[in-house]
Amino acid sequence: MSLHCQKSAKGDKVNTHKFKADIHQDREDSEAMAIEPPFFEKYKAILQSSANEKEKPSTVEGFDELELPLIDLSHLNLGQLERQECIEKMGQAAIEWGFFQIVNHGVPDELLNRLKQEQIKVFQQPFDKKSESNFLNLSVQSYRWGNPLATSLRNLSWSEALHISLKDISKMDEYNKLRSTIEEYAEKANFLAQRLAEYLAQNLGIKANYFQENCSPSSSSLRMNRYPPCPYPSMMFGIIPHTDTDFLTIVSQDQVGGLQLKRNGRWVSVKPNPKALVVNIGDFYQALSNGVYKSITHRVIANQETERYTAAYFYCPTYETVIGSCSKPSLYKKFSFKEYREQIQKDVKATGDKVGLSRFLL
């Protein structure tokens, strides 16, 4: 073999390795794409329209980053003075912020870590499987992504979620590790939410057993969220601005951050604290407290490079529960959870957005 031929053969060999490497990389890219919701296909018209009209970004860089009030629940087990100070601090945060964070809350780190690992496994499954109507034997539309009613970048959510009504957990495979983890977490979260709701009620004169009577473990829900990297983080949200339809929400989050809330008319970023759980007041507690506690509008901004995971526990009443203000004159007319949900569905269908408590003002 001539020297020229040997070089050619060697060159072919190098090219073959490169070709194999390219195939391997393409396969990895294909597998990665297979798990993602088809955002670009679904929202192609919106993205093109935005590019043509040069739509202004819906988020702005340079928000102030603040730390939420931190409540150490271990103080509830100290003397009477420390206990009362802790309860009052919690109530003050609910009045001034509508949000606070808690440590020494009784939910083991090991359980929170296990929940996140199971959550990652769920979202790493192919999109075609996640979007099946009987995914994990749960109710239809338990798996959700984006915003099917989005008409512009301002109401497009770049995220996917698994929203599980706790009454549906029994439908899941009893040997499924996700099911057992959710059951364990839901029990802890429900106990914690009830305690927090009762402590907050002490400042309002609400009877001690109100939440035991009106909230059952099966009436609440768990929403596991994944925020994929977004190519246009300055133009759309991870989740659009909203308030929560519940009494309280308890959120476990990672260190990535992205939560923003409306404070004194301005958007502020919340500094993430993965060692704490975030608690926020929902619409029902604002109505129950006659506007004393605040259900604050919040949102999640998108991240261009890093995916983010959160798990939100929504502490809710039964559908038949009628919610009325605890003092007079009442700001809101009485309504049931069922009536509130039906009104939201009407408003979303008509306007593309939730109107919320203002629909029930007297």
Side-chain angles (χ1 to χ4, degrees), residues 21-303:
D22 288 344
I23 292 177
H24 179 71
Q25 184 62 52
D26 288 345
R27 186 182 297 118
E28 287 186 344
D29 292 344
S30 178
E31 290 172 353
M33 289 299 293
I35 74 170
E36 299 293 354
F39 291 110
F40 289 105
E41 292 85 347
K42 176 72 173 179
Y43 301 118
K44 183 178 180 180
I46 293 176
L47 292 168
Q48 287 180 338
S49 174
S50 172
N52 294 336
E53 298 175 8
K54 295 183 179 180
E55 183 177 344
K56 293 182 179 179
S58 54
T59 61
V60 182
E61 301 298 331
F63 289 101
D64 292 335
E65 185 176 63
L66 303 178
E67 291 190 22
L68 295 175
L70 181 66
I71 313 293
D72 186 345
L73 296 188
S74 68
H75 289 190
L76 294 169
N77 302 319
L78 301 177
Q80 182 61 34
L81 180 61
E82 291 86 352
R83 176 186 173 87
Q84 192 57 38
E85 286 179 348
C86 183
I87 294 172
E88 290 177 0
K89 186 177 180 181
M90 203 184 306
Q92 201 60 35
I95 293 170
E96 296 181 1
W97 288 76
F99 275 78
F100 53 91
Q101 53 187 339
I102 53 176
V103 293
N104 294 315
H105 41 66
V107 183
D109 288 343
E110 180 276 330
L111 175 56
L112 292 170
N113 291 334
R114 188 161 21 109
L115 179 65
K116 182 179 178 181
Q117 292 309 310
E118 291 303 312
Q119 181 178 352
I120 291 172
K121 289 179 186 176
V122 167
F123 288 119
Q124 292 302 312
Q125 296 187 53
F127 173 75
D128 289 345
K129 184 173 183 179
K130 290 183 289 190
S131 57
E132 291 175 351
S133 60
N134 63 339
F135 182 52
L136 299 175
N137 290 331
L138 295 170
S139 299
V140 176
Q141 295 184 336
S142 291
Y143 173 73
R144 308 167 183 184
W145 63 279
N147 179 2
L149 298 175
T151 56
S152 71
L153 293 180
R154 288 181 174 83
N155 53 22
L156 194 162
S157 294
W158 198 274
S159 57
E160 58 179 339
L162 187 64
H163 192 102
I164 304 173
S165 173
L166 298 189
K167 67 178 183 293
D168 283 349
I169 295 178
S170 60
K171 298 177 183 178
M172 300 174 71
D173 183 348
E174 62 180 316
Y175 299 108
N176 187 310
K177 191 174 180 182
L178 174 64
R179 170 178 167 170
S180 63
T181 303
I182 288 176
E183 286 177 330
E184 187 178 349
Y185 176 73
E187 182 180 355
K188 296 282 189 183
N190 186 75
F191 177 73
L192 174 60
Q194 183 177 308
R195 284 179 66 208
L196 294 173
E198 289 172 349
Y199 290 134
L200 288 165
Q202 290 183 24
N203 298 316
L204 303 170
I206 298 170
K207 62 181 183 178
N209 61 348
Y210 176 88
F211 295 98
Q212 283 184 321
E213 290 180 351
N214 294 295
C215 302
S216 71
S218 61
S219 64
S220 297
S221 60
L222 176 68
R223 181 181 176 115
M224 299 188 295
N225 301 297
R226 173 179 175 261
Y227 303 92
C230 175
Y232 310 110
S234 65
M235 300 175 69
M236 61 186 71
F237 300 110
I239 289 184
I240 59 176
H242 66 284
T243 59
D244 289 351
T245 306
D246 61 1
F247 280 119
L248 291 174
T249 307
I250 299 175
V251 179
S252 171
Q253 62 174 341
D254 56 25
Q255 74 286 353
V256 175
L259 174 63
Q260 293 186 332
L261 56 89
K262 206 73 171 290
R263 180 163 169 76
N264 300 325
R266 296 173 57 246
W267 286 106
V268 296
S269 294
V270 173
K271 186 176 181 179
N273 180 356
K275 296 186 181 299
L277 295 175
V278 173
V279 180
N280 65 277
I281 302 297
D283 295 347
F284 297 158
Y285 222 139
Q286 177 168 324
L288 179 65
S289 70
N290 206 20
V292 174
Y293 294 156
K294 303 299 190 294
S295 179
I296 298 296
T297 302
H298 52 286
R299 66 189 187 186
V300 175
I301 58 173
N303 189 299

